[in-house]
Amino acid sequence: MATLALAGCGASGGGGTSQAGEGSGAIKVGLITKTETNPFFVKMKEGAEAAAKAEGVQLMTAAGKFDGDNAGQITAIENMVAAGVKGILITPSDSKAIVPALRKARSAGVMVIALDSPTEPQDATDALFATDNFKAGELIGQYAKAAMAGKPAKVATLDLAPGVAVGQLRHDGFLKGFGIAAGDPSIVCSQDTGGDQAKGQTAMENCLQKAPDINVVYTINEPAALGAHTALKAKGRDKDVLVVSVDGGCTGTKAVQGGQIAATSQQYPLKMAEQGVKAVASYGKSGAKVSGYTDTGVTLITDKPADGVDAKDTAFGLQNCWG
């Protein structure tokens, strides 16, 4: 869920497609991401391109015009099915609204794999290759709880947007890891950011107006975390508020190294795409479909480890980051 923002990458927007790889007789694989801008999906596309070259398949790519462009993703699906792809890899912009188009593609014999974000219901695709986003949230929740060392918490959650599974999973995982439930009085502010840095800053400003004594900030992704840090710094609170996040992009990992973010859960978009392309290539050659959920891994990254929470330092994070 990447995301983050959870945008994506493609060679053209609005459901347009680009092609790369072998000749017209090759197995065709489609990759559809949310937009063209986010480094998470730039890395995902790189992974797909490398795997397509290694497998000798033809890769088609597409993306929406903006995060949430369900219509653009539907157009891309239709174009790819018409072009004869054997499989489609997709990071759904709308977990529910995309389902009818995916079911139609599957009824035409196309294998569909969700990357990063599950559909609702999850079985609307043949398989899901993704970070365990609940675990990603749980790890930073456990870290924040341990780092607070018993100090009373005033928590702000800077979330994604309603109806996006990846955002809800990370949020719920954070709550579990921190040991609180939805509606707990320690949660003093919750705002949606769309995973955007500017909106993250505005959300943090709003939360500080509502609850000036906030001391823990959960963010859906690192752009939102950096926006929050800007707002906190403007109020002189950047040194005494614990900010935790999810993604593990290179910019975010450097922010952990620099102290703007205390810890982040790193995920691996290149691995998602590589495994997805290989699965479609195998289906094209053997007719065997993959199914179920494949966990592509998550690692807590921090230079200030907390007792009882497994983590790697930013040296490891920078070796494995994206963007």
Side-chain angles (χ1 to χ4, degrees):
M1 325 210 171
T3 206
L4 269 173
L6 298 170
C9 172
S12 59
T17 61
S18 70
Q19 299 187 25
E22 301 298 316
S24 59
I27 294 167
K28 295 179 181 178
V29 182
L31 172 67
I32 304 171
T33 51
K34 295 180 182 180
T35 73
E36 299 178 334
T37 54
N38 191 290
F40 182 88
F41 294 100
V42 172
K43 182 59 66 174
M44 184 175 280
K45 186 182 177 186
E46 289 175 6
E49 288 172 339
K53 184 175 181 180
E55 295 291 331
V57 300
Q58 181 180 345
L59 179 69
M60 303 179 68
T61 65
K65 291 180 179 178
F66 53 88
D67 195 345
D69 182 12
N70 184 66
Q73 290 198 321
I74 290 173
T75 298
I77 292 166
E78 293 171 346
N79 290 343
M80 289 179 178
V81 172
V85 296
K86 290 298 293 183
I88 291 174
L89 315 174
I90 185 167
T91 61
S93 282
D94 189 310
S95 305
K96 295 180 181 178
I98 200 66
V99 166
L102 295 179
R103 285 179 170 157
K104 186 175 180 181
R106 291 176 70 189
S107 70
V110 176
M111 183 171 70
V112 177
I113 299 173
L115 303 182
D116 182 50
S117 304
T119 53
E120 294 184 48
Q122 188 170 313
D123 64 6
T125 59
D126 291 285
L128 169 67
F129 290 6
T131 307
D132 184 337
N133 281 292
F134 187 90
K135 182 180 179 182
E138 189 174 14
L139 282 172
I140 57 171
Q142 290 171 346
Y143 175 85
K145 183 69 172 180
M148 289 298 287
K151 182 180 178 181
K154 301 290 186 181
V155 180
T157 69
L158 302 192
D159 298 305
L160 184 57
V164 183
V166 62
Q168 193 64 50
L169 286 165
R170 292 181 184 183
H171 175 99
D172 292 348
F174 170 81
L175 296 187
K176 182 183 178 185
F178 202 80
I180 56 178
D184 190 283
S186 65
I187 304 170
V188 295
C189 186
S190 293
Q191 296 264 309
D192 290 334
T193 69
D196 177 79
Q197 185 164 340
K199 291 178 181 176
Q201 180 177 341
T202 299
M204 191 72 251
E205 290 167 350
N206 292 340
C207 284
L208 287 170
Q209 285 185 338
K210 180 180 179 182
D213 57 347
I214 285 166
N215 55 13
V216 177
V217 179
Y218 153 82
T219 64
I220 176 63
N221 66 359
E222 292 150 2
L226 290 171
H229 177 263
T230 299
L232 289 165
K233 188 173 183 179
K235 292 290 187 180
R237 297 292 317 283
D238 54 305
K239 302 300 184 185
D240 63 337
V241 176
L242 185 78
V243 179
V244 294
S245 196
V246 178
D247 265 354
C250 295
T251 298
T253 303
K254 288 174 184 175
V256 175
Q257 188 178 52
Q260 296 100 320
I261 303 171
T264 193
S265 287
Q266 185 171 68
Q267 52 181 343
Y268 305 103
L270 189 145
K271 187 182 293 186
M272 297 176 197
E274 283 184 338
Q275 293 182 2
V277 169
K278 289 178 181 179
V280 176
S282 178
Y283 171 56
K285 295 168 185 174
S286 70
K289 290 184 176 181
V290 292
S291 61
Y293 167 59
T294 297
D295 183 355
T296 53
V298 62
T299 306
L300 184 73
I301 303 296
T302 184
D303 285 334
K304 297 178 180 179
D307 290 342
V309 186
D310 290 337
K312 299 285 189 181
D313 63 16
T314 54
F316 174 91
L318 290 170
Q319 289 175 347
N320 293 278
C321 66
W322 41 267

